[in-house]
Amino acid sequence: MNGRILRIELRRSTAPWVGLLVLLVALAFLHLLSGPWWKGPEMWTAQWTSAARWERFLLAFLWPLATGAGAVQGLRDHRSGMRELLATVPRPGWQRAAKTAGASALTLTVAYLLVFLVGAVQVIAGDGYFHLAWLPILAVGVLGLVAGAWLGMGIGRTVPSALTPPVLAVASLVAMVSLVVVMDAAAEGAVPNRVALLSPALPEVNDVFVTVAGRVSLGQALWLLGVAATGFLLLAAAERRARLLALLPLALGAAVALPILPSDQARAFVVDAGATAPVCSGRVCVTEVSRTRLATLAGPGEDALRLLAKLPGAPGSVREATGAWPPRTRQSRTADAVPVDFDAPGFRGNTVGEELTRSLLAGAGTPPCLDEEGDYGPRSVRERAARNVAAAWFLGELRPHHSAYLRDEIDALARPAWNALRALPADEQRARITALRAAALSCGGDLLDVLAGKAPR
């Protein structure tokens, strides 16, 4: 009997259509983010954790959809005019609510897992680093989506107005997007971090080496269980007193979750030790996530280290940049190793052999000081030109810069600097490249001026 009622709910309620809508909207968003302006799918399929986290980011848009659709479902008894009739039935209200809520939970769970499966297949095809630490992130996402739908059902039944679904959906969208923005480091402090982390949605993924701390998943799970319980009790409640009591799980969930959730971003999103574990071939090391890239990097890396040995204090290894060792900040730059960022221009999958060696030698084996993709101002052009000249000095040939954008401007500065450098005695050339390396490590001064022997400005 129970199975038959559930099948009826799956056929006649909005549950299957909401699940299908969630699936299509999620896949549409991921396709939209595949443009060159955003690295959504690239991060989504890089490894298991980022696949789970990207889908959690999508909850900023899927949660309002689930709550709004849930509210529509919650209005069913009011629209059919059966509310008073059903109140006279001796069967407890929670039994009927369980069938409606169960159908919704089933279809939304299937939809959410199918989206993850699409990404997981691509992770497997790319030999992604396998682990199980992504399971809590995925499970909390499923719980969050179901909790949103149940809360919408409960509110829809409690406030049976045609305005309830759209108002609830818009309010949820504003709340989710606002909290995701607050969780971004740029807006940190606008709302207490613990409060922001009550959102089932997570910030977009910018680093495959960062994961969600266990206490975040635990706190969010407890809070969302309270949200789901409140939604279900509101859906089943027939009296005013029962509706007031239904708010207790929501309050209890918040009271338990807030002390567990971290008070700052640094403890909420932490470095994944397994993903950043080094995998080495001689002096060339990549992370476990990039294990498949080691064979391509090993030869060019050793060549770059051999050439860099011409300089005093030359680096002794090539290491992939990670969340634990970000070379983009001045404080974390080190002279001991040449950094590799596989997301940066010059290191992506189609760069191999001598071109990869040239990328390693750019700036005499140092990371850029300015953003190579987002900064196209005069300072960035000058820095790229100087870094290209430094790589050419080791290989004996100046080649056009790898960037298709502003290549002419970069090469127009690099050619005179290269000719001037080559006209100097060998010892002076080495001294200029050594000075450029020191300036690049400290991000101090204009690198073209350093090559020209001028005082840094």
Side-chain angles (χ1 to χ4, degrees), residues 346-414:
F347 290 107
R348 289 174 181 158
N350 57 347
T351 306
V352 296
E354 185 178 315
E355 286 306 310
L356 186 51
T357 302
R358 187 176 293 273
S359 295
L360 291 167
L361 293 170
T366 61
C369 292
L370 300 176
D371 189 343
E372 287 195 309
E373 291 189 295
D375 191 335
Y376 298 110
R379 285 186 60 210
S380 178
V381 172
R382 291 180 64 81
E383 178 181 314
R384 296 185 204 188
R387 290 174 59 80
N388 200 27
V389 170
W393 183 80
F394 290 100
L395 295 171
E397 178 188 6
L398 180 67
R399 290 187 181 178
H401 193 266
H402 58 72
S403 174
Y405 190 65
L406 294 180
R407 177 181 294 166
D408 293 341
E409 290 85 343
I410 295 169
D411 293 342
L413 291 174

Side-chain angles (χ1 to χ4, degrees), residues 53-408:
R53 284 189 59 197
W54 256 112
E55 197 168 4
R56 289 288 297 278
F57 167 72
L58 292 182
L59 282 181
F61 310 100
L62 300 182
W63 168 281
L65 183 62
T67 53
V72 172
Q73 180 66 29
L75 291 174
R76 181 174 64 177
D77 292 348
H78 176 74
R79 292 197 310 268
S80 62
M82 296 178 59
R83 192 165 183 173
E84 292 77 10
L85 176 62
L86 291 171
T88 65
V89 176
R91 183 184 295 271
W94 68 265
Q95 291 186 5
R96 184 170 182 270
K99 304 303 184 295
T100 304
S104 176
L106 178 61
T107 57
L108 288 175
T109 298
V110 170
Y112 195 91
L113 293 180
L114 282 176
V115 175
F116 181 78
L117 181 61
V118 173
V121 169
Q122 298 178 68
V123 174
I124 294 171
D127 294 325
Y129 152 64
F130 181 76
H131 57 99
L132 295 176
W134 50 269
L135 279 173
I137 304 173
L138 180 69
V140 172
V142 173
L143 177 59
L145 194 61
V146 171
W150 286 10
L151 183 65
M153 289 181 187
I155 294 176
R157 192 171 193 278
T158 303
V159 187
S161 167
L163 294 177
T164 299
V167 169
L168 185 59
V170 171
S172 298
L173 179 62
V174 172
M176 289 297 103
V177 172
S178 299
L179 291 178
V180 166
V181 170
V182 166
M183 278 188 273
D184 190 324
E188 188 176 357
V191 171
N193 192 63
R194 287 189 171 100
V195 175
L197 286 172
L198 292 177
S199 165
L202 296 176
E204 64 180 276
V205 183
N206 292 317
D207 194 334
V208 296
F209 303 112
V210 175
T211 188
V212 181
R215 60 188 295 188
V216 172
S217 294
L218 175 60
Q220 290 180 331
L222 293 172
W223 156 247
L224 291 170
L225 283 172
V227 173
T230 289
F232 181 81
L233 292 175
L234 285 174
L235 181 63
E239 300 176 354
R240 179 181 178 84
R241 183 169 178 270
R243 295 190 186 101
L244 291 175
L245 290 175
L247 299 178
L248 287 178
L250 188 73
L252 181 62
V256 173
L258 285 173
I260 295 175
L261 294 170
S263 60
D264 60 88
Q265 292 290 310
R267 288 185 293 170
F269 302 101
V270 297
V271 174
D272 185 339
T276 57
V279 180
C280 300
S281 173
R283 297 181 293 171
V284 179
C285 298
V286 297
T287 64
E288 183 65 44
V289 170
S290 305
R291 176 186 285 270
T292 57
R293 304 289 297 272
L294 181 59
T296 301
L297 182 65
E302 290 290 350
D303 290 342
L305 291 173
R306 176 177 51 81
L307 293 169
L308 286 166
K310 298 177 183 179
L311 304 181
S317 64
V318 173
R319 290 175 54 193
E320 182 180 359
T322 69
W325 184 60
R328 301 174 184 83
T329 60
R330 300 183 186 186
Q331 293 80 5
S332 60
R333 290 166 181 265
T334 174
D336 298 333
V338 178
V340 177
D341 182 355
F342 288 121
D343 289 328
F347 290 107
R348 289 174 181 158
N350 57 347
T351 306
V352 296
E354 185 178 315
E355 286 306 310
L356 186 51
T357 302
R358 187 176 293 273
S359 295
L360 291 167
L361 293 170
T366 61
C369 292
L370 300 176
D371 189 343
E372 287 195 309
E373 291 189 295
D375 191 335
Y376 298 110
R379 285 186 60 210
S380 178
V381 172
R382 291 180 64 81
E383 178 181 314
R384 296 185 204 188
R387 290 174 59 80
N388 200 27
V389 170
W393 183 80
F394 290 100
L395 295 171
E397 178 188 6
L398 180 67
R399 290 187 181 178
H401 193 266
H402 58 72
S403 174
Y405 190 65
L406 294 180
R407 177 181 294 166
D408 293 341

